[in-house]
mmCIF file of all heavy atoms in Angstrom:
data_model
loop_
_atom_site.group_PDB
_atom_site.id
_atom_site.type_symbol
_atom_site.label_atom_id
_atom_site.label_comp_id
_atom_site.label_asym_id
_atom_site.label_seq_id
_atom_site.Cartn_x
_atom_site.Cartn_y
_atom_site.Cartn_z
ATOM 1 N N CYS A 18 -16.989 -21.698 11.934
ATOM 2 C CA CYS A 18 -17.856 -20.509 11.859
ATOM 3 C C CYS A 18 -19.228 -20.846 12.495
ATOM 4 O O CYS A 18 -19.931 -20.003 13.170
ATOM 5 C CB CYS A 18 -18.021 -19.950 10.542
ATOM 6 S SG CYS A 18 -16.485 -19.590 9.759
ATOM 7 N N CYS A 21 -22.162 -18.311 11.993
ATOM 8 C CA CYS A 21 -21.739 -16.977 11.877
ATOM 9 C C CYS A 21 -21.564 -16.687 10.433
ATOM 10 O O CYS A 21 -21.050 -17.468 9.622
ATOM 11 C CB CYS A 21 -20.385 -16.614 12.651
ATOM 12 S SG CYS A 21 -19.772 -14.927 12.432
ATOM 13 N N THR A 22 -21.963 -15.492 9.934
ATOM 14 C CA THR A 22 -21.786 -15.030 8.506
ATOM 15 C C THR A 22 -21.301 -13.543 8.485
ATOM 16 O O THR A 22 -21.426 -12.893 7.490
ATOM 17 C CB THR A 22 -22.918 -15.263 7.586
ATOM 18 O OG1 THR A 22 -24.077 -14.497 8.229
ATOM 19 C CG2 THR A 22 -23.374 -16.684 7.406
ATOM 20 N N ALA A 23 -20.685 -13.161 9.668
ATOM 21 C CA ALA A 23 -20.347 -11.700 9.795
ATOM 22 C C ALA A 23 -19.457 -11.131 8.654
ATOM 23 O O ALA A 23 -19.710 -10.056 8.181
ATOM 24 C CB ALA A 23 -19.740 -11.508 11.224
ATOM 25 N N CYS A 24 -18.585 -12.003 8.180
ATOM 26 C CA CYS A 24 -17.523 -11.439 7.290
ATOM 27 C C CYS A 24 -18.146 -11.523 5.893
ATOM 28 O O CYS A 24 -17.496 -10.986 4.965
ATOM 29 C CB CYS A 24 -16.279 -12.216 7.292
ATOM 30 S SG CYS A 24 -16.527 -14.009 7.198
ATOM 31 N N PHE A 65 -9.934 -16.642 4.138
ATOM 32 C CA PHE A 65 -10.132 -15.601 5.148
ATOM 33 C C PHE A 65 -10.518 -16.334 6.428
ATOM 34 O O PHE A 65 -11.454 -17.100 6.548
ATOM 35 C CB PHE A 65 -11.345 -14.606 4.738
ATOM 36 C CG PHE A 65 -11.560 -13.567 5.840
ATOM 37 C CD1 PHE A 65 -10.764 -12.531 6.026
ATOM 38 C CD2 PHE A 65 -12.656 -13.808 6.792
ATOM 39 C CE1 PHE A 65 -11.079 -11.540 6.979
ATOM 40 C CE2 PHE A 65 -12.873 -12.927 7.839
ATOM 41 C CZ PHE A 65 -12.097 -11.735 7.909
ATOM 42 N N CYS A 67 -11.142 -14.938 10.691
ATOM 43 C CA CYS A 67 -10.995 -14.059 11.722
ATOM 44 C C CYS A 67 -10.120 -14.469 12.878
ATOM 45 O O CYS A 67 -9.930 -15.808 12.948
ATOM 46 C CB CYS A 67 -12.312 -13.596 12.230
ATOM 47 S SG CYS A 67 -13.270 -14.843 13.082
ATOM 48 N N TRP A 69 -11.011 -14.860 15.979
ATOM 49 C CA TRP A 69 -11.747 -15.743 16.718
ATOM 50 C C TRP A 69 -11.683 -17.218 16.244
ATOM 51 O O TRP A 69 -11.662 -18.170 17.160
ATOM 52 C CB TRP A 69 -13.234 -15.383 16.721
ATOM 53 C CG TRP A 69 -14.057 -16.198 17.682
ATOM 54 C CD1 TRP A 69 -14.265 -15.972 19.002
ATOM 55 C CD2 TRP A 69 -14.894 -17.345 17.386
ATOM 56 N NE1 TRP A 69 -14.995 -16.929 19.542
ATOM 57 C CE2 TRP A 69 -15.386 -17.796 18.551
ATOM 58 C CE3 TRP A 69 -14.999 -17.995 16.173
ATOM 59 C CZ2 TRP A 69 -16.176 -18.979 18.524
ATOM 60 C CZ3 TRP A 69 -15.831 -18.984 16.180
ATOM 61 C CH2 TRP A 69 -16.422 -19.553 17.337
ATOM 62 N N ILE A 70 -11.531 -17.393 14.985
ATOM 63 C CA ILE A 70 -11.520 -18.751 14.333
ATOM 64 C C ILE A 70 -10.071 -19.312 14.706
ATOM 65 O O ILE A 70 -9.963 -20.562 14.894
ATOM 66 C CB ILE A 70 -11.677 -18.655 12.848
ATOM 67 C CG1 ILE A 70 -13.200 -18.593 12.512
ATOM 68 C CG2 ILE A 70 -11.038 -19.897 12.064
ATOM 69 C CD1 ILE A 70 -14.006 -19.901 12.724
ATOM 70 N N PRO A 81 -17.794 -13.181 16.324
ATOM 71 C CA PRO A 81 -18.303 -12.018 15.626
ATOM 72 C C PRO A 81 -19.904 -12.007 15.698
ATOM 73 O O PRO A 81 -20.500 -10.934 15.800
ATOM 74 C CB PRO A 81 -17.783 -12.235 14.237
ATOM 75 C CG PRO A 81 -16.524 -12.920 14.442
ATOM 76 C CD PRO A 81 -16.641 -13.835 15.553
HETATM 77 S S1 LIG B 1 -16.477 -13.534 11.046
HETATM 78 FE FE1 LIG B 1 -15.112 -15.199 11.635
HETATM 79 S S2 LIG B 1 -16.524 -16.772 12.559
HETATM 80 FE FE2 LIG B 1 -17.768 -15.349 11.406
HETATM 81 S S3 LIG B 1 -18.131 -16.360 9.396
HETATM 82 FE FE3 LIG B 1 -16.246 -14.897 9.266
HETATM 83 S S4 LIG B 1 -14.521 -16.315 9.764
HETATM 84 FE FE4 LIG B 1 -16.353 -17.308 10.449
#
Side-chain angles (χ1 to χ4, degrees):
C18 299
C21 180
T22 56
C24 55
F65 179 79
C67 68
W69 183 84
I70 282 285

